[in-house]
Amino acid sequence: MFVYGTLRKGMYNYEKYYKAHDSFRGYGYVKGELHAIKGKEYPALIEGERMILGEIHEVPAEVQDAVDLMEGFYGEGRMENEYDKIVSIIYNAEGEVMGELPVYFYNLRNLNNGRALGDVILCDDYIKYLQEASDH
């Protein structure tokens, strides 16, 4: 999995789901646009051309199944998904293709999700965004 929000190292969902599995495999980037979500403490990734920093993690299937449920992913193309899981190209820091991995993209087909979308996270890094917000 490629993760960019609360499943990254040190974040609360990483601690809950991934930490016990020594899952971290490295850093990477995915093309998209990162947004805050109104009233939520996690971000939304939507389609875009910005390079979004994230992490590559590898966990057993049953752990990833639990994460799918936490992410509100109930199956491909389901309208009620909060996030869709889409296999996407992952890039290194130089912009070279590293491979393809599943990534959770915010489901904008669900109109309630679209209304909840907040500001663009211009630093393209959710952890940096949280640190900058706490510094103010």
Side-chain angles (χ1 to χ4, degrees):
M1 275 307 295
F2 176 89
V3 299
Y4 53 84
T6 64
L7 286 162
R8 287 180 58 191
K9 289 188 304 180
M11 298 295 291
Y12 61 92
N13 279 322
Y14 168 81
E15 297 292 325
K16 183 174 181 179
Y17 293 98
Y18 284 178
K19 186 176 182 179
H21 301 280
D22 190 27
S23 63
F24 180 74
R25 298 293 178 264
Y27 292 99
Y29 295 83
V30 68
K31 283 189 179 179
E33 190 172 274
L34 202 56
H35 285 256
I37 303 174
K38 297 171 191 160
K40 305 286 186 184
E41 294 186 13
Y42 52 86
L45 178 66
I46 64 170
E47 288 185 16
E49 292 301 314
R50 301 175 72 89
M51 294 297 269
I52 307 304
L53 176 65
E55 299 172 358
I56 298 163
H57 287 265
E58 186 177 346
V59 293
E62 62 274 8
V63 173
Q64 196 55 52
D65 289 346
V67 170
D68 284 350
L69 290 176
M70 179 272 295
E71 294 283 4
F73 174 72
Y74 305 108
E76 283 197 39
R78 304 259 313 253
M79 188 62 81
E80 68 271 24
N81 287 348
E82 183 172 12
Y83 289 86
D84 291 317
K85 190 160 65 169
I86 300 171
V87 175
S88 304
I89 297 171
I90 307 303
Y91 301 88
N92 65 17
E94 290 74 42
E96 298 163 335
V97 174
M98 295 170 60
E100 294 185 344
L101 287 171
V103 181
Y104 293 111
F105 278 84
Y106 203 53
N107 174 14
L108 292 177
R109 296 183 323 280
N110 181 324
L111 297 180
N112 290 332
N113 288 355
R115 286 190 281 273
L117 215 55
D119 294 336
V120 176
I121 296 174
L122 293 173
C123 66
D124 300 325
D125 175 343
Y126 186 63
I127 291 176
K128 183 177 177 185
Y129 166 78
L130 291 178
Q131 290 167 340
E132 289 173 353
S134 70
D135 290 344
H136 288 81

